[in-house]
C-alpha cells in the first residue's frame, strides 16, 4: 500500500454550514505533503478528520488501510498512536521538565521500563539537537526550542505520520528554517510521512514534495512542488506571490458598491 492516508470525497458541515465539500487527497508513504489555504478555507476541519476527531457528513478518511469513522473508540485510540501531532501552540506541560514532557506519552502508552524510557527520551531529544536541554522547564526554552521539543514529543510513540499545524507561526527566520529542515530530516530519517499545514510558502516550498491548495472546502490545485512553482493557475499564483486579491477575494461578498452608495435595494 503506497498511501498512508486517503481522503475520499470528504464532506463536513457544521450544522447547516458546509465547510468541506468533497475533498480528495492522499498522503503517500515517505512524503512530506503541504496543505495551503486561506484562513477559513477548512484546513483545521480537514486535520480533525485526519485524526478521526470529526465524523464526515459524507465520504471517508482511511489511515493505514482503516476507515476512521468505522472504528470503535478503542481502535481509534490505538491507531492515533501512529499519528504524531505538533501544533502552533507547543502544548508542553508547563509544570513538567522537558524530560518529563517527553516521558509522559511513553509512560501513558507503553509498559516500557524506566531505563528504556530514559534512553528513548534522550535519543528523541538528540534528533532535534536538544539532548542537553532535558532538565530545563518549558519557561526556560526559546520559542524555537519549545517547538523542537514538541516535535521530539510528536515522535515519541514512533508514529507513521506526523501532522504539523502552522509549525512556523511566530518564529524568527533562523528558528523557522531550523524547524523546516527538521521536518524534512525527521521525515526521511524515521521513514515516515508528514503533513504540513501552513501559510509560510517560502519555507515550506523548500521541504515539501507535493502541495494541495484548498479553497472554500475543495482542492483547487495540487501538484509536485516544482510544478507548482511554475504554475499559471490563478489560485497557486495568488498564494505563491502573496497577492492580496485574486480568486481568493479581498472583499467580503457584498452588493456592488455604487448600488450601496446610492441606496439602491
Ligand atoms: N466548531 C465549529 N462550529 C461551527 N463552525 C466552525 C467550527 N469550526 C470551524 N468553523 C467554521 O468553518 C470554517 C472553516 O474553518 P477552519 O478552522 O477549518 O478553517 P482554516 O482554514 O483552518 O482557518 P484558519 O487558517 O484561520 O485556522 C470557518 O468559516 C469557521 O468559522
Amino acid at each position: 500500500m503506497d498511501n498512508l492516508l486517503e481522503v475520499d470525497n470528504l464532506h463536513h458541515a457544521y450544522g447547516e454550514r458546509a465547510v468541506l465539500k468533497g475533498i480528495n487527497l492522499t498522503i503517500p508513504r515517505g512524503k512530506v505533503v503541504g496543505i495551503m489555504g486561506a484562513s477559513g478555507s477548512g484546513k483545521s476541519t480537514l486535520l480533525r478528520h485526519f485524526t478521526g476527531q470529526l465524523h464526515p457528513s459524507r465520504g471517508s478518511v482511511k489511515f493505514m488501510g482503516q476507515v476512521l469513522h468505522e472504528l470503535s473508540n478503542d481502535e481509534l485510540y490505538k491507531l492515533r498512536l501512529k499519528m504524531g501531532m505538533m501544533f502552533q501552540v507547543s502544548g508542553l506541560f508547563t509544570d513538567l521538565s522537558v524530560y518529563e514532557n517527553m516521558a509522559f506519552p511513553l509512560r501513558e502508552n507503553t509498559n516500557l521500563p524506566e531505563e528504556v524510557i530514559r534512553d528513548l527520551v534522550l535519543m528523541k531529544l538528540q534528533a532535534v539537537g536538544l539532548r542537553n536541554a532535558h532538565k530545563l522547564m518549558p519557561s526556560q526554552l526559546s520559542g524555537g526550542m519549545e517547538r523542537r521539543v514538541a516535535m521530539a514529543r510528536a515522535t515519541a510513540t514512533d508514529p507513521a505520520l506526523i501532522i504539523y499545524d502552522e509549525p512556523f507561526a511566530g518564529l524568527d527566520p533562523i528558528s523557522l528554517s531550523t524547524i523546516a529542515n527538521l521536518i524534512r530530516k525527521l521525515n526521511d530519517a524515521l521513514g515516515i510521512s508528514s503533513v504540513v499545514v501552513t501559510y509560510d510558502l517560502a519555507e515550506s516550498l523548500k521541504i515539501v514534495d507535493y502541495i494541495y491548495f484548498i479553497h472554500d472546502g475543495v482542492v483547487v490545485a495540487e501538484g509536485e512542488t516544482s510544478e507548482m512553482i511554475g504554475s499559471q493557475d490563478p489560485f497557486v499564483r495568488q498564494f505563491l506571490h502573496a497577492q492580496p486579491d485574486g480568486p481568493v477575494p479581498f472583499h467580503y461578498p457584498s452588493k456592488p458598491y455604487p448600488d450601496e452608495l446610492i441606496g439602491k435595494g
Side-chain angles (χ1 to χ4, degrees):
M1 191 189 12
D2 289 322
N3 290 328
L4 188 66
L5 187 131
E6 293 177 7
V7 176
D8 181 27
N9 191 29
L10 183 68
H11 287 70
H12 187 90
Y14 291 109
E16 292 289 290
R17 175 129 197 268
V19 172
L20 302 182
K21 305 171 185 171
I23 298 256
N24 292 296
L25 62 80
T26 54
I27 312 294
R29 286 179 188 272
K31 300 289 182 192
V32 180
V33 174
I35 297 181
M36 322 266 158
S39 187
S41 56
K43 303 179 301 295
S44 303
T45 305
L46 180 61
L47 288 191
R48 275 183 247 141
H49 279 280
F50 284 8
T51 55
Q53 283 164 277
L54 293 175
H55 266 235
S57 320
R58 193 144 41 107
S60 64
V61 176
K62 215 189 249 184
F63 177 63
M64 298 179 90
Q66 305 199 57
V67 175
L68 297 185
H69 71 261
E70 291 173 353
L71 300 178
S72 67
N73 283 346
D74 276 359
E75 289 168 329
L76 190 58
Y77 184 82
K78 278 204 193 105
L79 200 60
R80 272 209 202 117
L81 294 177
K82 292 276 146 210
M83 300 180 190
M85 273 156 253
M86 193 191 102
F87 300 113
Q88 180 180 337
V89 179
S90 73
L92 298 181
F93 298 114
T94 50
D95 52 345
L96 297 182
S97 67
V98 166
Y99 180 89
E100 290 299 321
N101 264 287
M102 292 289 302
F104 187 82
L106 290 166
R107 293 198 188 114
E108 276 291 286
N109 298 302
T110 69
N111 294 316
L112 295 170
E114 204 52 36
E115 315 86 77
V116 177
I117 289 187
R118 183 180 166 78
D119 287 350
L120 282 173
V121 166
L122 295 181
M123 191 177 84
K124 309 261 172 197
L125 283 173
Q126 170 78 5
V128 298
L130 291 178
R131 183 167 46 89
N132 236 347
H134 69 272
K135 288 195 192 114
L136 299 180
M137 297 301 284
S139 60
Q140 295 173 294
L141 303 174
S142 69
M145 285 165 84
E146 194 173 343
R147 216 71 59 98
R148 276 149 74 190
V149 173
M151 280 174 96
R153 193 176 60 166
T155 68
T157 54
D158 286 333
L161 173 72
I162 301 190
I163 299 171
Y164 299 94
D165 192 4
E166 293 294 340
F168 310 125
L171 292 179
D172 66 82
I174 295 171
S175 307
L176 199 150
S177 170
T178 308
I179 297 293
N181 288 327
L182 262 179
I183 291 176
R184 183 78 241 183
K185 256 173 72 182
L186 284 180
N187 188 81
D188 299 345
L190 302 175
I192 57 173
S193 308
S194 306
V195 175
V196 184
V197 171
T198 178
Y199 304 106
D200 207 304
L201 269 164
E203 216 51 50
S204 39
L205 285 177
K206 295 183 202 155
I207 58 147
V208 304
D209 298 301
Y210 199 91
I211 313 179
Y212 287 96
F213 290 87
I214 310 266
H215 178 61
D216 197 19
V218 292
V219 172
V220 288
E222 65 178 282
E224 304 274 340
T225 308
S226 52
E227 276 172 59
M228 292 291 101
I229 290 171
S231 169
Q232 292 306 311
D233 182 290
F235 275 101
V236 178
R237 287 184 62 77
Q238 188 179 3
F239 260 90
L240 294 192
H241 303 288
Q243 294 159 346
D245 212 353
V248 180
F250 169 69
H251 285 283
Y252 189 76
S254 59
K255 290 189 283 191
Y257 195 32
D259 289 0
E260 202 118 46
L261 287 179
I262 57 176
K264 268 203 215 162

